[in-house]
Amino acid sequence: MGNYQCIICGGETASYSSSPGYFICGCCGVVFLERSRVVSPEEEKERYLKHTNGTDEPGYTGMLDEFIKVCVAPFAGEGSFILDYGSGPEPLLARFLEGRGYKTDTYDPFFAPEKKFEFEKYGAVTAVEVLEHMKDPLGEIKIIADILKPGGIFAGRTMFLPQEEKKFANWWYRFDITHITFYSPQSLAHIAEAAGMELILGEAPCFFVMVKK
Ligand SMILES: [Zn+2]
């Protein structure tokens, strides 16, 4: 059985026997879908357009409020310049942040592809429900670390892995075909370290904050 090197730390991986196509790293604990099984960018975009993260969804907007309260407001200075990375078809989080006095940019490979961030430094970068879609999380998070000012934060949300392999097999989160990489707080700590940051919050079930050293 061909196993892969971990996409985060280069460690040895083992296949998740009850979930064919998925591998877990013995070192940092990240779980990822075999890259040959990942959907095409066209299918990926189509799937995002079907997501309805509209303001009419109280669950979603409530989550964004909670995210800002727990992950952004305590760490980002007042009026900080924030990039929402992976802003989606509708830049809802950016609007929420602006409503709270922050200045924002958005980036999304499908819906806001202009890389304005290449010429900027930010006090914070946010990524809500983004890391689970990343094919090369370490590569992308290194870019994010690069565009943060020292002391700036990278804050996001992604559902943390269930502890047991058996739970993963039936986990709703993995059935979204665009979700291909899954993390524990330990995996996020590895990524932070490799990108010159430190994980300062990894709160179950889903919130994290890294700070640039
Ligand atoms: Zn690893």
Side-chain angles (χ1 to χ4, degrees), residues 16 24 160-168 184-185:
Y16 244 18
I24 182 164
F160 296 149
L161 278 164
Q163 298 286 323
E164 299 153 40
E165 180 174 342
K166 237 188 275 164
K167 280 193 183 154
F168 181 81
S184 63

Side-chain angles (χ1 to χ4, degrees), residues 6 8-11 25 27-30:
C6 174
I8 304 297
C9 73
C25 174
C27 175
C28 75
V30 77

Side-chain angles (χ1 to χ4, degrees), residues 68-122:
I68 294 170
K69 199 174 94 188
V70 175
C71 298
V72 180
F75 307 105
E78 219 172 283
S80 292
F81 192 13
I82 300 181
L83 171 70
D84 187 33
Y85 188 98
S87 45
E90 236 191 294
L92 201 55
L93 177 59
R95 252 183 271 148
F96 274 43
L97 289 167
E98 277 169 14
R100 286 160 184 75
Y102 300 101
K103 189 182 163 205
T104 65
D105 263 351
T106 53
Y107 168 72
D108 188 286
F110 297 110
F111 305 105
E114 195 191 336
K115 292 182 173 173
K116 293 182 222 160
F117 60 77
E118 290 180 325
F119 311 102
E120 291 291 348
K121 293 282 180 198
Y122 299 92

